[in-house]
Structures are given as structure tokens and as C-alpha cells.
Amino acid sequence: MKKKYQGSSRVKRAQLQALRRDFETLAMKDGESVSSYFARTMEICTRMRFYGEKMKDVTILEKSLRSLTRTFDYVVCVIEESKI
């Protein structure tokens, strides 16, 4: 029984590693809308959580704000300064 499911855990681990790489390299594309960018981000995060990744919402938000295009720098600044 253990051998039967061992391959499954290896596949899950490999899939999670690929998703982590996608998350780390994630960045908003020029001309992409904020909503489509956040949808892409949440899709990756949801899949990571499905494979067992413990991810805080703050981590996702910080990554999202860091990877917005330069045109949103002022928005990011306002959001970061308004944190309590």
C-alpha cells in the first residue's frame, strides 16, 4: 500500500515545486488588467494550497503588490502607508 501511494506524494511534491517557482517569478505583464493579474495570482495560490502549501494571505498580498507594474507604484505606496 505504501509503495502504491509513494509515487503520488512524489508527483504532488514535484507539482508543488513547479507552482512555487511560478509564484516566485509571477509578475504583472504590461497592458494586463489588475483583475486578470490577481486572478492569475489566486489561481496559482489556490493550486499551491491544494497540494498542501501553507500560505498566509499576507504573503500573497505582499507578493502581489511587489510585482505590479511601475504604473501602480503610487497605489502600492498608499496601501503600504495606510497599514495600521
Side-chain angles (χ1 to χ4, degrees):
M1 190 95 159
K2 185 178 177 182
K3 281 189 175 187
K4 180 179 179 182
Y5 291 104
Q6 185 177 12
S8 177
S9 67
R10 286 182 182 169
V11 169
K12 285 182 181 180
R13 219 174 343 175
Q15 185 66 28
L16 186 55
Q17 286 296 338
L19 289 167
R20 283 181 184 142
R21 183 190 65 236
D22 291 345
F23 181 74
E24 290 170 5
T25 60
L26 187 66
M28 187 176 185
K29 299 173 185 171
D30 288 332
E32 184 177 23
S33 70
V34 174
S35 61
S36 67
Y37 170 66
F38 281 126
R40 266 191 321 126
T41 303
M42 290 312 300
E43 178 186 348
I44 291 171
C45 295
T46 301
R47 290 173 55 201
M48 288 173 72
R49 286 178 173 165
F50 175 78
Y51 286 109
E53 182 75 12
K54 305 280 191 266
M55 209 175 205
K56 295 181 180 179
D57 290 339
V58 170
T59 304
I60 298 167
L61 180 62
E62 288 174 345
K63 169 61 177 171
S64 299
L65 290 176
R66 272 194 320 270
S67 56
L68 290 173
T69 57
R70 285 269 194 231
T71 57
F72 293 98
D73 281 351
Y74 67 94
V75 176
V76 172
C77 184
V78 168
I79 291 170
E80 288 176 344
E81 291 299 317
S82 67
K83 287 193 307 187
I84 297 175

